[in-house]
């Protein structure tokens, strides 16, 4: 069965500092991997996705993620966090866009 | 073009009642998926509809059902509501729910269901 682990429930960073959110997955075949962001009272917005090819993928809002097959990881990074990045971040895995398995999420707090 | 819309946005029901939630996908999208989001269980896949047929199903009891109409709008129904059904119900639409970059899935804002 597929699963996603986001080991950090809460992370606090200072504005301007770098950010890395961890994601480990378990999947039998080549996965589709996603990072979504959810602001309070909102639905999910896609930040970036990995299907195949270059293992370093760029997304919106200055985010990037690196797929490491040997470590079954797909960590999300941002070099300089802005206060508006405060939100909950979800990593997800699937065989396609549908029937995704999500991690439990990481709540990001940004200190000014 | 308009995004995914869900109605109502908020709903309060009592135990034992039933509820119907509606989702209108982006124009041209034929796949609609439903997810339940709770603090305890996180985001869990309920089911996916494509061309009026349920194509995928998650691990939820039969009290949770859905349907899709010829215009791709979808409804989900929960019968005999329990306290644990209180959640944010999200729907998402895509062209056909398959693979490929052109098939991006877009989420609606959700319906917040509270069961008292």
């Amino acid at each position: 069965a597929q699963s996603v682990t986001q080991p950090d429930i809460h992370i606090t960073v200072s504005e301007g500092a770098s950010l890395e959110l961890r994601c480990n997955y378990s999947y039998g075949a080549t996965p589709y991997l996603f990072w979504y962001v959810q602001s309070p009272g909102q639905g999910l917005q896609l930040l970036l996705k990995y299907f195949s090819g270059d293992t370093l993928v760029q997304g919106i809002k200055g985010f990037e993620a690196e797929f490491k097959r040997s470590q079954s990881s797909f960590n999300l990074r941002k070099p300089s966090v802005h206060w508006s990045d405060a939100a909950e971040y979800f990593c997800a895995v699937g065989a396609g866009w549908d029937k995704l398995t999500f991690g439990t999420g990481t709540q990001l707090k940004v200190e000014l | 073009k308009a995004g995914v819309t869900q109605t109502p946005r908020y709903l309060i029901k009592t135990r034992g009642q039933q509820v119907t939630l509606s989702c209108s996908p982006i124009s041209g999208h034929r796949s609609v998926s439903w997810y339940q989001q709770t603090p305890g269980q996180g985001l869990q896949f309920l089911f996916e509809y494509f061309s009026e047929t349920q194509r995928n199903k998650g691990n939820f009891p039969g009290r949770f059902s859905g349907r899709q109409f010829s215009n791709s709008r979808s409804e989900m129904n929960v019968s005999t509501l329990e306290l644990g059904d209180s959640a944010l119900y999200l729907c998402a639409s895509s062209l056909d729910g398959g693979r490929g970059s052109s098939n991006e899935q877009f989420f609606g804002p959700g319906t917040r269901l509270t069961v008292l």
Side-chain angles (χ1 to χ4, degrees):
Chain A
Q2 58 200 54
S3 66
V4 176
T5 301
Q6 292 181 248
D8 304 306
I9 299 174
H10 298 279
I11 281 186
T12 300
V13 299
S14 299
E15 190 176 35
S18 64
L19 172 71
E20 182 169 27
L21 302 183
R22 296 182 289 165
C23 172
N24 290 96
Y25 69 90
S26 173
Y27 193 77
T30 301
Y32 272 33
L33 292 161
F34 308 84
W35 274 99
Y36 285 90
V37 62
Q38 185 178 37
S39 298
Q42 302 295 316
L44 300 172
Q45 181 183 23
L46 179 70
L47 285 175
L48 47 76
K49 63 190 183 291
Y50 172 79
F51 293 164
S52 64
D54 193 347
T55 56
L56 184 64
V57 293
Q58 303 296 321
I60 62 170
K61 304 185 180 187
F63 286 93
E64 66 177 27
E66 186 170 12
F67 170 58
K68 293 186 178 180
R69 186 186 300 275
S70 62
Q71 298 176 22
S72 296
S73 70
F74 188 56
N75 294 348
L76 182 71
R77 301 193 293 249
K78 186 170 185 178
S80 176
V81 169
H82 188 262
W83 64 266
S84 61
D85 292 326
E88 190 157 21
Y89 292 80
F90 293 91
C91 180
V93 67
W97 286 98
D98 61 327
K99 202 178 180 182
L100 299 182
T101 297
F102 284 86
T104 50
T106 297
Q107 187 72 47
L108 173 65
K109 181 181 174 183
V110 179
E111 288 182 335
L112 300 177
Chain B
K1 75 184 161 183
V4 178
T5 57
Q6 293 187 246
T7 57
R9 291 293 311 277
Y10 301 91
L11 206 48
I12 300 175
K13 292 285 187 178
T14 56
R15 276 183 299 174
Q17 287 187 309
Q18 76 163 15
V19 67
T20 299
L21 312 181
S22 180
C23 172
S24 292
I26 290 171
S27 177
H29 286 191
R30 295 163 63 196
S31 167
V32 174
S33 296
W34 288 89
Y35 290 85
Q36 182 196 63
Q37 185 177 21
T38 61
Q41 300 296 317
L43 277 152
Q44 293 185 286
F45 173 77
L46 280 155
F47 30 64
E48 183 234 356
Y49 284 85
F50 177 76
S51 291
E52 302 178 65
T53 301
Q54 187 181 87
R55 188 163 64 174
N56 286 296
K57 189 177 188 307
N59 222 12
F60 279 80
R63 299 187 297 108
F64 292 82
S65 63
R67 59 177 175 168
Q68 187 179 35
F69 301 94
S70 58
N71 62 357
S72 295
R73 188 177 70 86
S74 177
E75 288 181 347
M76 68 162 282
N77 185 276
V78 188
S79 62
T80 319
L81 284 166
E82 301 175 0
L83 294 179
D85 297 333
S86 294
L88 181 68
Y89 290 88
L90 294 165
C91 85
S93 76
S94 71
L95 282 173
D96 67 21
R99 302 171 76 89
S101 294
S102 62
N103 231 334
E104 180 173 347
Q105 180 173 236
F106 295 86
F107 282 82
T111 293
R112 172 75 63 186
L113 172 65
T114 302
V115 182
L116 303 175

